[in-house]
Amino acid sequence: MNQITVYTYREFDEARYFEQFEKTHDVKIVKCQGNPAGENLAFAQGSTCINIITTKIDENTIKQLAGMGVRYIATRTIGYDHIDMKAAAEYGIAVANAPYGPEGVADYTIMLMLMALRNMKRIMQRTEIQDYSLNGLMGRELHDLTVGVIGTGRIGTQVIKQLRGFGCKILAYSPHENDDAKKYAEYTDADTLLKNADIVTFHAPLTEENRHIINKETLSKMKDGVILINTARGPLIETEALISAVESGKIGAAAIDVVEHEAGLYYNDLKSTVLSNRELAVLRSFPNVTVSHHMAFYTQNAIRTMVLDSMEGCLQFMQTGKSRWSVK
């Protein structure tokens, strides 16, 4: 019987889909609630494929997995920048992702835009203490503004489609233009987008070329009071530059679902722990910065797709040596 080791196995939301897959396919699932590190690596013994989520998989881990016979790593995420792809290729391990539908992240992105525009964080904080005053809470209307969308893949294009109903002007930047996005957005270069957008939202995968695409220099080109929305990858924005721009007033508001150095923090209960990411603690303290913990993807549809497609890819690989979800 084929065996697949699943790491960071979650009982409360994923278990029923893994159980469904195991019942309908000739496969044994070895379940580990922890990450593939230390003693947990032993769970992969006897498995050609392992299934992970956002755990960092470095060269040393890949070397150990390869030595145990692992030849395929499936990540239950769209992004795979947490995996050392160079090392995986070197040790003959294929890597695959699980592209869920774009609608959930697009919905969440629009929600964050509206929350930032209408000062919702401050409204909710005041309501909690029965402060029903209006001073400092005046919002702005989306139809009056220009939204810049960086990255027009499946999610960025879906955001553009949903924005059209608000009547705002939409600018787009991407190395690869999308015909669907062109119907509703005007493509331009990155500098033009940054200079003209009132809101900038990010939907690009993280690469070495776009790491810290938002930094002190690029922020200086942007409008005073610009609003930043990030539901893509934390390192697209240089955190120290973001903090400084919020403090100076250059950034009027930010709503971010991802941050730099979030590994080991997000998806863990740390309410009784001193936060190790000082920059995150500072960002959370600002009244005009909304921070959520990498939740934009988190819908019932997405979880089902992430589990079933990632497992289907493992099965395809074990049966044929190939998977349609392989990224390299």
Side-chain angles (χ1 to χ4, degrees), residues 33-93:
Q33 294 184 344
N35 296 329
E39 294 180 355
N40 288 342
L41 278 175
F43 283 92
Q45 195 71 52
S47 293
T48 304
C49 305
I50 67 166
N51 191 316
I52 66 167
I53 193 157
T54 53
T55 311
K56 187 173 181 60
I57 305 294
D58 59 18
E59 182 178 3
N60 182 53
T61 301
I62 287 172
K63 180 180 180 181
Q64 293 181 72
L65 289 170
M68 298 166 69
V70 172
R71 292 293 175 264
Y72 183 92
I73 299 174
T75 178
R76 306 190 296 280
T77 56
I78 289 179
Y80 47 90
D81 49 278
H82 49 291
I83 301 171
D84 187 329
M85 297 297 292
K86 182 178 178 182
E90 182 180 341
Y91 286 95
I93 295 180

Side-chain angles (χ1 to χ4, degrees), residues 10 18 46 64 80 87 91 96 110 155 187 217 227 240 267 295 300 304 310 325:
R10 297 198 304 260
F18 281 117
Q64 293 181 72
Y80 47 90
Y91 286 95
I110 301 297
I155 294 174
Y187 272 97
E217 180 183 353
I227 294 172
E240 280 296 339
Y267 312 141
M295 297 290 297
Q300 189 176 68
R304 180 177 61 248
S310 64
W325 287 280

